[in-house]
Amino acid sequence: MKFFVDTAEIDAIAELNALGMVDGVTTNPSLIKKSGRDIIEVTKEICDLVDGPVSAEVTATDAETMIAEGRKLVKIADNIAVKVPLTWDGLQACKTLTDEGHMVNVTLCFSANQALLAAKAGATFISPFIGRLDDINLDGMDLIADIRTIYDNYGFETEILAASIRNANHVLESARIGADVITAPPAVIKAMINHPLTDKGLDAFLADIKAANIKIL
Ligand code: G3P
């Protein structure tokens, strides 16, 4: 399973990248706003840091402008994936940009039918939003499972990029179902390591190291 980091914070990306945890990065207008940085400038910095796909989202809602924005974004670096919303205009932009050989991430996916349309439009990635479905008392994991089944039924190569991941269980369930990629905020990836028995066990070992004066170096 690939791990993308869902942030535009350079330091947080660099920290996880040094541990081999970063296969790519996703950004969106809200994350760019939070960073306080210029979209082109910060995206270039992220692309310089990370080898894998870096999603940068268009700002337009009409296909023609989305395509023009996408063509500008892909000039930033070879690893840019243009992110477009799941609308008919977004799918038109997806088809044009993927036909030109660019990676496209179709975002704001909330139904399996939408995911089917995105795959037919040649999307490189489909981004179903788990947490936002959970927020309205639906089960985001059911959507990931449905898309996995449908894509496997027909051999679609579009990668399932589980997004709007809010906690470590979302990562675990996505992995169980077979999502190709998760994108999560750095704090969620970091929280995956937590286990009270690890802490308790280490405390006991440290006490014995001290008691027995065990030394290696
Ligand atoms: O990748 C999409 C993601 O950033 C949305 O997450 O938590 O705003 O629903 P959230």
Side-chain angles (χ1 to χ4, degrees):
M1 164 177 265
K2 285 179 267 190
F3 277 16
F4 289 2
V5 191
D6 199 27
T7 185
E9 305 297 332
I10 298 288
D11 290 350
I13 297 167
E15 186 187 354
L16 287 168
N17 197 37
L19 291 164
M21 300 293 164
V22 180
D23 300 302
V25 173
T26 51
T27 65
N28 61 39
S30 306
L31 295 171
I32 296 292
K33 176 173 174 266
K34 197 172 160 201
S35 78
R37 306 274 313 273
D38 170 74
I39 181 172
I40 304 291
E41 196 184 282
V42 74
T43 305
K44 179 161 181 12
E45 236 174 276
I46 297 169
C47 289
D48 287 344
L49 194 63
V50 171
D51 292 333
V54 174
S55 290
E57 190 158 342
V58 298
T59 65
T61 53
D62 67 287
E64 195 184 336
T65 316
M66 280 191 226
I67 292 164
E69 288 182 338
R71 287 177 181 148
K72 178 170 178 184
L73 289 170
V74 296
K75 288 201 179 100
I76 294 173
D78 289 344
N79 53 336
I80 286 286
V82 180
K83 208 170 179 186
V84 300
L86 217 157
T87 59
W88 285 115
D89 282 78
L91 293 182
Q92 195 182 325
C94 173
K95 177 84 175 75
T96 300
L97 292 166
T98 52
D99 281 352
E100 290 175 3
H102 306 304
M103 290 187 285
V104 174
N105 176 359
V106 179
T107 191
L108 291 168
C109 172
F110 293 96
S111 80
N113 271 341
Q114 289 179 326
L116 186 50
L117 293 174
K120 291 194 72 69
T124 317
F125 301 104
I126 182 69
S127 289
F129 276 32
I130 296 170
R132 292 193 195 184
L133 283 169
D134 290 356
D135 287 345
I136 59 164
N137 289 330
L138 294 171
D139 189 342
M141 285 307 157
D142 286 348
L143 175 57
I144 303 294
D146 280 350
I147 299 172
R148 181 73 284 156
T149 301
I150 290 165
Y151 281 8
D152 288 350
N153 281 348
Y154 299 100
F156 285 116
E157 288 178 6
T158 301
E159 293 192 45
I160 302 174
L161 198 175
S164 187
I165 294 244
R166 304 274 179 78
N167 56 57
N169 274 342
H170 281 158
V171 180
L172 178 62
E173 288 304 316
S174 297
R176 279 200 176 119
I177 292 165
D180 301 285
V181 193
I182 56 98
T183 188
V188 171
I189 294 175
K190 285 183 164 186
M192 289 170 67
I193 203 167
N194 295 339
H195 199 292
L197 291 180
T198 303
D199 298 340
K200 192 177 165 197
L202 184 58
D203 285 348
F205 288 150
L206 289 173
D208 289 342
I209 287 166
K210 195 173 173 195
N213 196 25
I214 300 170
K215 286 197 170 106
I216 296 172
L217 295 176

